[in-house]
Amino acid sequence: MILLTGLLVLLITVLLMFTGDTVVHSYIWYMLCFFVFVTGFAHYVAFLGLKNDSGNLHAYYFAAMGVRMVFSIIAVFVYRYFHAEGLVQFVSNFFALYFIYTGFEIYALLSNLRQNSKKHA
């Protein structure tokens, strides 16, 4: 996750240097911190599920995904309630990060499941 976040920081910095605020929203750093926290939490919950109750890992994983989705929807609605300008830019940046971190979480989960399936085989 550190590598992914570092690459995103580099990409965002380059985009800000070349395009300014036309592509990247001014709250991008808050969004990035939000997703680092939420993805770390979701990964931790999935790890606990794998460690303590591997038979019900799917329940832990889906609960973590549900919590992330609810927090994300709340964040978008809070932004919309307090700010009317730049909504499309905010939502596009927000959900780009959402899908990037969701892809990372799926990749991390699959790599853990592959390791565990090899141990049991």
Side-chain angles (χ1 to χ4, degrees):
M1 188 163 83
I2 294 170
L3 179 63
L4 174 67
T5 303
L7 289 172
L8 285 173
V9 166
L10 182 65
L11 177 68
I12 291 168
T13 304
V14 168
L15 282 173
L16 283 172
M17 285 175 31
F18 289 113
T19 64
D21 286 341
T22 58
V23 175
V24 180
H25 195 272
S26 60
Y27 285 1
I28 191 71
W29 302 115
Y30 298 114
M31 289 184 248
L32 191 62
C33 290
F34 172 81
F35 281 110
V36 166
F37 173 74
V38 172
T39 302
F41 173 74
H43 192 68
Y44 178 71
V45 168
F47 174 74
L48 286 178
L50 185 62
K51 186 174 112 178
N52 296 330
D53 189 14
S54 62
N56 288 326
L57 173 66
H58 62 284
Y60 288 95
Y61 178 70
F62 286 131
M65 284 182 66
V67 166
R68 180 191 345 190
M69 184 180 293
V70 168
F71 282 164
S72 297
I73 290 170
I74 289 170
V76 170
F77 281 129
V78 165
Y79 178 82
R80 173 61 181 111
Y81 184 75
F82 290 109
H83 302 285
E85 71 283 343
L87 183 63
V88 173
Q89 185 183 30
F90 177 84
V91 170
S92 64
N93 288 180
F94 190 87
F95 282 107
L97 289 175
Y98 180 87
F99 290 125
I100 289 169
Y101 276 101
T102 300
F104 165 75
E105 184 179 342
I106 291 169
Y107 173 77
L109 180 67
L110 288 177
S111 66
N112 284 337
L113 288 176
R114 276 190 217 115
Q115 290 173 357
N116 286 341
S117 68
K118 288 179 184 177
K119 288 179 187 176
H120 294 296

